[in-house]
Amino acid sequence: MIEILNNLGFSLQFTWFCIIVILFAGYAILDGFDLGVGMLHMFSKKDEERRMMLNSIGPVWDGNEVWLVTAGGALFAGFPDVYATLCSGFYEGVMLLLSGIIFRAVAIEFRSKMPMAWWRWSWDVFFSLASFIITFALGIVMGNIIRGIPLGADKEFAGNLLGLFNPYALLVGIMAVSLFTMHGAIYILMKTEGELHEKMRRRINPSIIFFIITYAATTMTTLIYMPHMTEIIKDRPGFFVIGLINMLAIANIPREISLGRDGRAFASSCVNIFCLMVLYGMGTFPNIVRALNNPAELSLTIYNSASSNETLGILLLMAVIGLPIVAAYTFSVYWIFHGKVRLDHQSY
């Protein structure tokens, strides 16, 4: 297998970088609509509507988080220096992220255990707040990785917590919130019917407009202030097709919704997220963590932060066996629970 990759011109380091980008893209697509549904949860006033929204993600939300665990494990095994630097540099953010994941899970499971309005409302608040915190924290992390963080000669984070809340990272955080809100709104539209479906159809356009505004602002800011993100496209113009596909996918979302083809709109939203993650990977390559203070010498690249070739080779074999199993499980769950959501005595 390693010989095949070498003959194709792909190193183990590059292959693992691509695998990790794909895993994080899978997480963003799958858990993205979970988080979007969570952030939209409090906008519904009726308990029945909130239950419908909750049950739309009920069979799949925990399985979607497997992609984050898998991506984190792949990062730890394939690029241990990157894992160590990010977990120490973003320690408070990682703790906040994990807290949000825990509270969201507890809120989903506990919300309908008791019939009292105050009980359900309290867990609804936790569910929505946790979904927002997770999304915004992920955006802050990605914004800082794109911009770069100060690193020392020992590969350790050399900045402070306040520096992570820079304008660019905050902008990417807001864009992440708008992206997942739109993604979740389309998912609810696809999975529901009746009064909630019609309400969501009226609310879908504001979420799309919100995303397009933040997307345009983030793209413009990146082009002006983060020129390193476009170097690979300047060197290899053929890669511009990814950006073109991304723009066409975004433009197709309102078109499909206006035609009542909610499933195709959701597919376009998935393509949009995947293209954004690919553009992120292309823009940062070969860096995984860019050193803001000295990018040329201190950045953690796929070459100076990777595990040994022997380790990467064994990990690749495990990935070839394990990833199809995860993908097959994900597909089977979505196939079993496809269709519109209906409440019964076993529902959340």
Side-chain angles (χ1 to χ4, degrees), residues 265-321:
F266 184 73
S268 295
S269 184
C270 293
V271 172
N272 168 39
I273 294 175
F274 184 79
C275 288
L276 287 174
M277 290 301 299
V278 172
L279 289 170
Y280 158 77
M282 288 167 48
T284 58
F285 182 83
N287 298 325
I288 304 179
V289 179
R290 181 173 181 268
L292 184 62
N293 46 330
N294 191 345
E297 297 183 9
L298 298 179
S299 295
L300 297 179
T301 70
I302 66 171
Y303 303 109
N304 66 15
S305 64
S307 298
S308 65
N309 283 340
E310 291 78 8
T311 300
L312 293 176
I314 295 172
L315 292 171
L316 183 60
L317 178 62
M318 295 172 62
V320 169
I321 297 172

Side-chain angles (χ1 to χ4, degrees), residues 32-33 35-37 39-41 43 53 174-190 197 199-216 250 253-254 257 262 265-266 269 272:
F33 67 76
L35 296 168
V37 170
M39 288 185 286
L40 291 167
H41 190 69
F43 287 93
M53 294 171 70
I174 295 171
M175 194 195 87
V177 170
S178 69
L179 172 62
F180 286 173
T181 299
M182 180 188 71
H183 197 45
I186 298 171
Y187 181 78
I188 296 171
L189 198 63
M190 182 179 67
H197 179 86
K199 283 184 179 179
M200 194 53 61
R201 187 167 293 281
R202 291 193 296 269
R203 294 172 181 172
I204 193 75
N205 285 336
S207 69
I208 295 174
I209 293 170
F210 179 35
F211 167 70
I212 290 175
I213 291 172
T214 57
Y215 172 79
I250 295 172
I253 292 173
I257 289 175
D262 304 329
F266 184 73
S269 184
N272 168 39

